Amino acid sequence: MKITVLDGHGLNPGDLSWEDLGKLGELTVYDRTSTSELMDRAKDSEILITNKTVLDADTIASLPKLKYIGVLATGYNVVDIEEAHKRGIVVTNIPSYSTMSVAQRVFALLLAVTDRTEHYALENRKGAWNRSKDFCWWDTPLTELAGKKFGIVGMGNIGKAVSRIALAFDMEVLAYSSKDASELPSGVVKVSLNELYHDCDIISLHCPLTPSTKELINNETIDKMKDGVILINTGRGPLVNEKDVAEALEKGKIGAFCADVLSSEPPSADNPLLTAPNTYITPHIAWATKEARVRLMNIAVANVEAFLDGAPQNVV
């Protein structure tokens, strides 16, 4: 069985091993695959493993030997699922591997806004505290999280994990979710989206990207929010209209925007969020802790093994 990994560098830049996957077939691993390289690399493969390399309908239709596509992520929009199903090709993803790592990133970003730890560490290196006339020194507002209203849009595994951490900070947690209130963690209050926008000091996005959630955050919805709201997006970049958010930051309507994802990745140099004030943006690395990547690798191998055993798992 010929197995080809089209873009393995994101998962494994060199600190993990492909050995277990290699035990399941004739394995070839590419760090990255361009559009022009794709057909030549994939043409003889029965198993293709992709992370962000797009396998559209035309590509899939041109690969008669292909029997299985493994996506090295939870989202699988890079694969034309309809075409794969039409041709009897099994497609799997990797669910729930990075839940706690992404939840951790949410609060790393939030604390960067409220506590400014990096700012003060850098200022101290420059001697700011040494020059102080008092025992303490600060030049930014500092904010306590306890008592603040924390709104979560989407209560899947990550949303639930985020809610539990927010409750541990003694925040009031409001959630907009398709789930029944009884399915939410204890202490989380289910509300309408408009209530969440209106009431919350902090809003964190954890919903899937669908036609109804694309640019969920825009001028109209921002106007419903509190002045100075902190907005966090570790879900999908297109959940927000980046131009509208940048303008709201310039006006001070949004107090801070935190994100680990943008609409185009890597972003273009003219993305307005890259130069907007009070932005805290990390380069799509919330999922990338070594612990999460080890889980991802183990699940990816188990998915292929289950397929070969005739009982595929995590099928989409």
Side-chain angles (χ1 to χ4, degrees), residues 205 207-209 213-217 233 235-241:
L205 305 179
C207 53
L209 178 62
T213 62
K214 184 177 181 182
E215 297 191 357
L216 182 70
I217 306 302
N233 184 17
R236 294 289 183 267
L239 293 174
V240 308
N241 181 306

Side-chain angles (χ1 to χ4, degrees), residues 49-111:
I49 309 296
T50 182
N51 192 328
K52 296 296 181 287
T53 301
V54 174
L55 299 174
D56 60 19
D58 288 342
T59 300
I60 293 170
S62 301
L63 298 171
K65 295 183 180 181
L66 187 59
K67 295 180 175 64
Y68 171 94
I69 298 170
V71 182
L72 296 174
T74 303
Y76 47 87
N77 56 298
V78 296
V79 178
D80 190 307
I81 299 297
E82 183 178 351
E83 184 68 22
H85 288 175
K86 185 171 73 175
R87 296 180 177 278
I89 298 167
V90 172
V91 183
T92 66
N93 72 338
I94 315 287
S96 304
Y97 72 94
S98 63
T99 297
M100 294 313 301
S101 291
V102 176
Q104 176 178 307
R105 173 66 47 166
V106 169
F107 286 90
L109 289 164
L110 177 56
L111 292 168

Side-chain angles (χ1 to χ4, degrees), residues 6 53 64 83 87 98 100 102 112 147 155 158 165 176-177 201 230 238 242 245 251 266 268 279 303-304:
L6 294 170
T53 301
E83 184 68 22
R87 296 180 177 278
S98 63
M100 294 313 301
V102 176
M155 287 294 285
I158 295 173
I165 299 171
Y176 173 74
S177 173
D201 305 290
I230 298 172
E242 293 173 340
V245 170
K251 296 173 183 176
S268 60
T279 53
N303 282 352
V304 173

Side-chain angles (χ1 to χ4, degrees), residues 212-245:
S212 63
T213 62
K214 184 177 181 182
E215 297 191 357
L216 182 70
I217 306 302
N218 55 53
N219 280 332
E220 182 181 350
T221 55
I222 291 168
D223 284 344
K224 298 176 182 179
M225 298 177 191
K226 286 184 175 182
D227 291 347
V229 65
I230 298 172
L231 181 62
I232 305 170
N233 184 17
T234 56
R236 294 289 183 267
L239 293 174
V240 308
N241 181 306
E242 293 173 340
K243 180 176 179 291
D244 290 354
V245 170

Side-chain angles (χ1 to χ4, degrees), residues 58-201:
D58 288 342
T59 300
I60 293 170
S62 301
L63 298 171
K65 295 183 180 181
L66 187 59
K67 295 180 175 64
Y68 171 94
I69 298 170
V71 182
L72 296 174
T74 303
Y76 47 87
N77 56 298
V78 296
V79 178
D80 190 307
I81 299 297
E82 183 178 351
E83 184 68 22
H85 288 175
K86 185 171 73 175
R87 296 180 177 278
I89 298 167
V90 172
V91 183
T92 66
N93 72 338
I94 315 287
S96 304
Y97 72 94
S98 63
T99 297
M100 294 313 301
S101 291
V102 176
Q104 176 178 307
R105 173 66 47 166
V106 169
F107 286 90
L109 289 164
L110 177 56
L111 292 168
V113 177
T114 60
D115 287 47
R116 300 296 304 276
T117 305
E118 182 179 13
H119 167 74
Y120 287 104
L122 292 173
E123 287 301 307
N124 283 342
R125 287 178 180 269
K126 300 173 186 176
W129 195 9
N130 301 89
R131 294 189 295 270
S132 175
K133 295 178 180 179
D134 304 299
F135 73 95
C136 58
W137 177 86
W138 72 90
D139 65 347
T140 70
L142 301 171
T143 303
E144 183 175 87
L145 292 177
K148 299 294 187 293
K149 290 186 177 180
F150 190 102
I152 301 174
V153 181
M155 287 294 285
N157 290 325
I158 295 173
K160 288 180 179 179
V162 168
S163 75
R164 291 190 290 268
I165 299 171
L167 289 167
F169 273 105
D170 204 22
M171 287 188 272
E172 296 182 45
V173 181
L174 311 182
Y176 173 74
S177 173
S178 60
K179 292 181 170 60
D180 188 81
S182 63
E183 299 178 73
L184 304 183
S186 178
V188 176
V189 178
K190 182 174 178 176
V191 296
S192 70
L193 199 50
N194 281 338
E195 287 176 295
L196 186 144
Y197 290 147
H198 183 268
D199 293 344
C200 290
D201 305 290

